[in-house]
């Protein structure tokens, strides 16, 4: 049982009238003993209930149902909204819940807030009447210029501002590309395993979706040539494959680009965390090798700055700019101007480059620290190889395939890990393990304390 189950039970009991305003709730210790869960699990549920106003903490006198609570029975009688796909429900819960080892979140404790707030204030004060109009559909021109300059220096991408489209996240970028370039009958090839939400988006759009396996050198291009020579789009994560974190080898990069040119196919490069490469110098993007202009480059600031900014970008081959512009006019609403101006200032001032340099060093040490803590406690059950970079680590089960059951146990202790098997669309050739974020773990002791919470249950399962 997880904290969400406890939360749901309280909500149900309050709305049914089983727990009335002013009535005392069980103590955390006694409820944890009764349900057979960790105190931390009950504490997490109580914290949410208190934050939402259902419960009130009175210190030593205990916790009670809010005496001023007014129950809207009509609302309660409505059918609740539930996600039908259990895998989607699991990943959405992970994304929407704060906890240890959360995936895809940059180090929020080390972000230069003061600098960001200073630039935000300047951006607000410099707003003019002209800025109150509709923002450009491609995005704020100075921001697009700043991104083009950054990509040229940091990722080796030779592009101009005219090729850069600002979007509000990866899904928005992928939808824009599909709307502009692909019909439902066009074959699209995705990595196996691959990014969960990208896979679900393609499935829901009814794409002619196929998969290419990933090994230690990245996506298998020989497989692509043998089985999918008629593909129109290939979507990959070459810098750090999602979720396995392996890098696409240089021979395969050239092989893929030559194949795309010969077959008149397009490659979508999702470079979601390519900035964070540790073992050697930062590897160039696939786009930097693209002499044929067959690569559509997708980047995001969710991993380098903050997810709540909801800002990403697409670099379009020159030949495709007109059709992307026309599509964007119809399907894209554009981002608010103010965040774009703040982001442009952050990049142009040099603060972004300075922040990335600090994060590379910090992430390298935190990654090693979390891995060492994990191996110290669970080394008998998992293999945990370190790749050359990325913002998460994969712990492969040495035996068995119970990563989903294990994930549920860990989530009940507020450890927001993802089962590796969930990233596979097909049942054959699956690998099993846990995908673990490390970027917000501040010390080895913090990692060890968190990892020990599900130890006994993990031992019993494995």
């Amino acid at each position: 049982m997880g904290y969400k189950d406890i939360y749901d039970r309280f909500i149900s009991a309050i709305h049914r009238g089983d727990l009335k305003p002013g009535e005392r709730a069980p103590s955390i210790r006694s409820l944890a003993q009764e349900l057979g869960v960790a105190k931390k699990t009950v504490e997490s549920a109580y914290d949410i209930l208190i934050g939402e106003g259902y419960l009130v903490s009175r210190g030593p006198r205990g916790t009670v149902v809010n005496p001023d609570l007014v129950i809207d029975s009509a609302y309660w009688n409505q059918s609740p909204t539930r996600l039908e796909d259990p895998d989607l429900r699991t990943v959405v819960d992970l994304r929407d819940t704060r906890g240890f080892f959360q995936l895809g979140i940059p180090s929020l404790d080390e972000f230069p807030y003061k600098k960001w707030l200073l630039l935000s204030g300047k951006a607000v004060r410099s707003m003019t009447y002209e800025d109150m109009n509709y923002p450009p559909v491609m995005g704020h021109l100075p921001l697009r210029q700043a991104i083009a300059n950054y990509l040229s220096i940091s990722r080796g991408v030779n592009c101009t501002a005219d090729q850069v489209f600002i979007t509000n996240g990866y899904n928005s970028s992928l939808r824009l590309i599909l709307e502009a370039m692909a019909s439902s009958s066009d074959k699209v090839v995705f990595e196996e395993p691959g990014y969960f939400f990208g896979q679900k988006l393609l499935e829901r759009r009814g794409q002619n979706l196929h998969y290419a396996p990933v090994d230690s050198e990245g996506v298998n291009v020989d497989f692509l040539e043998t089985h999918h020579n008629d593909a129109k789009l290939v979507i990959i994560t070459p810098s750090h494959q999602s979720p396995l974190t392996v890098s696409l080898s240089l021979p395969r990069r050239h092989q893929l680009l030559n194949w795309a040119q010969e077959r008149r196919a397009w490659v979508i490069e999702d470079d979601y965390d390519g900035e964070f490469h540790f073992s050697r110098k930062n590897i160039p993007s696939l786009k930097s090798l693209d002499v044929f202009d067959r690569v559509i480059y997708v980047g995001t600031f969710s991993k380098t700055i903050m997810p709540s900014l909801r800002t990403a970008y697409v670099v379009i081959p020159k030949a495709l700019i007109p059709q992307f512009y026309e599509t964007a006019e119809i399907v894209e609403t554009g981002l608010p101007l103010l965040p774009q101006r703040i982001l442009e200032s952050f990049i142009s001032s040099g603060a972004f480059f300075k922040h990335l340099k600090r994060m590379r060093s910090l992430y390298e040490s935190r990654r090693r620290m979390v891995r060492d803590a994990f191996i110290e406690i669970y080394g008998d059950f998992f293999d945990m190889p370190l790749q050359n970079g990325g913002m998460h680590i994969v712990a492969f089960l040495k035996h068995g395939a119970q990563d989903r059951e294990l994930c549920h146990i860990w989530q009940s202790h507020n450890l927001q890990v993802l089962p590796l098997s969930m990233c596979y669309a097909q049942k054959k050739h699956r690998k099993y393990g846990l995908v673990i974020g490390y970027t917000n773990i501040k010390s080895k002791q913090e990692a060890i304390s968190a990892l020990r919470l599900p130890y006994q249950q993990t031992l019993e399962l494995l």
Side-chain angles (χ1 to χ4, degrees), residues 229-246:
N229 252 344
D230 55 342
K232 182 169 185 178
L233 292 175
V234 178
I235 305 171
I236 63 171
T237 48
S239 290
H240 308 124
Q241 199 276 334
S242 176
L244 298 180
T245 73
V246 297

Side-chain angles (χ1 to χ4, degrees), residues 8-78:
D8 289 338
R9 287 189 182 186
F10 269 87
I11 294 296
S12 178
I14 291 171
H15 281 275
R16 286 197 312 265
D18 297 339
L19 278 175
K20 298 177 174 57
E23 188 171 341
R24 184 165 181 159
S27 71
I28 291 174
R29 182 185 297 275
S30 63
L31 184 58
Q33 290 175 344
E34 180 180 342
L35 298 178
V37 299
K39 283 177 58 182
K40 187 72 175 177
T41 304
V42 180
E43 286 176 356
S44 297
Y46 273 38
D47 286 345
I48 297 173
L49 290 163
I50 291 170
E52 293 181 351
Y54 286 98
L55 300 182
V56 175
S57 175
R58 292 182 170 174
R61 292 183 294 165
T63 302
V64 300
V65 179
N66 189 345
D68 299 323
L69 188 64
V70 177
I71 303 300
D72 185 353
S73 58
Y75 172 80
W76 180 248
N77 289 330
Q78 295 176 357

Side-chain angles (χ1 to χ4, degrees), residues 187-404:
K187 178 183 278 191
V188 177
V189 178
F190 201 68
E191 296 173 307
E192 175 81 336
Y195 177 55
F196 179 85
F197 282 113
Q199 177 197 121
K200 290 298 180 183
L201 174 60
L202 292 166
E203 289 176 353
R204 285 174 178 261
R205 282 183 53 92
Q207 298 295 145
N208 181 12
L209 183 59
H210 298 263
Y211 298 92
V214 173
D215 58 28
S216 61
E217 293 185 63
V219 67
N220 189 326
V221 185
D222 287 336
F223 183 93
L224 191 67
E225 292 177 338
T226 302
H227 298 280
H228 301 304
N229 252 344
D230 55 342
K232 182 169 185 178
L233 292 175
V234 178
I235 305 171
I236 63 171
T237 48
S239 290
H240 308 124
Q241 199 276 334
S242 176
L244 298 180
T245 73
V246 297
S247 298
L248 186 64
S249 66
L250 186 59
R252 285 193 183 179
R253 288 172 184 247
H254 289 296
Q255 182 186 4
L256 178 62
L257 293 173
N258 288 331
W259 172 84
Q261 172 66 6
E262 293 170 2
R263 307 307 304 177
R264 308 309 295 167
W266 300 95
V267 179
I268 301 174
E269 176 183 11
D270 176 13
D271 198 30
Y272 67 102
D273 70 351
E275 290 85 355
F276 303 119
H277 206 76
F278 312 128
S279 298
R280 58 180 184 267
K281 289 185 178 180
N282 195 17
I283 57 174
S285 64
L286 178 67
K287 180 65 178 174
S288 68
L289 305 174
D290 179 27
V291 296
F292 307 117
D293 212 15
R294 306 300 300 180
V295 175
I296 302 168
Y297 182 91
V298 177
T300 178
F301 292 103
S302 293
K303 305 297 184 285
T304 53
I305 296 182
M306 63 185 83
S308 63
L309 192 61
R310 303 306 301 146
T311 303
Y313 52 91
V314 182
V315 178
I316 309 298
K318 292 179 180 179
L320 300 178
I321 293 175
Q323 69 191 74
F324 268 82
Y325 187 89
E326 181 177 341
T327 302
E329 284 282 8
I330 299 170
V331 303
E332 287 292 301
T333 58
L335 287 173
L337 180 61
L338 182 58
Q340 295 188 65
R341 293 186 58 171
I342 299 169
L343 179 56
E344 184 275 324
S345 297
F346 191 69
I347 298 172
S348 299
S349 69
F352 183 50
F353 288 89
K354 184 178 180 181
H355 176 60
L356 287 180
K357 183 178 179 180
R358 289 187 64 245
M359 290 305 99
R360 288 189 191 101
S361 176
L362 179 70
Y363 289 172
E364 184 174 10
S365 62
R366 286 187 174 182
R367 184 178 71 150
R368 178 70 63 178
M369 174 186 68
V370 169
R371 180 185 183 274
D372 289 348
F374 192 95
I375 294 300
E376 183 177 318
I377 301 173
Y378 295 108
D380 292 338
F381 307 107
F382 294 91
D383 286 320
M384 205 172 191
L386 284 184
Q387 302 298 337
N388 290 323
M391 295 175 66
H392 63 264
I393 320 171
V394 181
F396 296 94
L397 277 169
K398 290 183 177 180
H399 308 286
Q402 314 98 313
D403 61 351
R404 297 192 186 209

Side-chain angles (χ1 to χ4, degrees), residues 108-151:
L108 302 180
D109 61 304
E110 293 292 335
F111 184 75
Y113 293 103
K114 291 183 178 179
K115 181 66 174 179
W116 185 265
L117 292 175
L118 177 65
L119 295 173
S120 300
K122 289 182 178 179
V124 171
R125 290 190 295 272
S126 63
M127 293 285 284
T128 65
Y129 290 115
E130 288 77 12
D131 294 329
M132 298 170 68
N133 210 328
Y134 288 105
V137 66
M138 291 182 64
H140 185 45
L141 178 58
L143 174 58
R144 289 157 45 211
Q145 291 171 332
I147 290 173
N149 293 337
Y150 160 71
L151 292 176

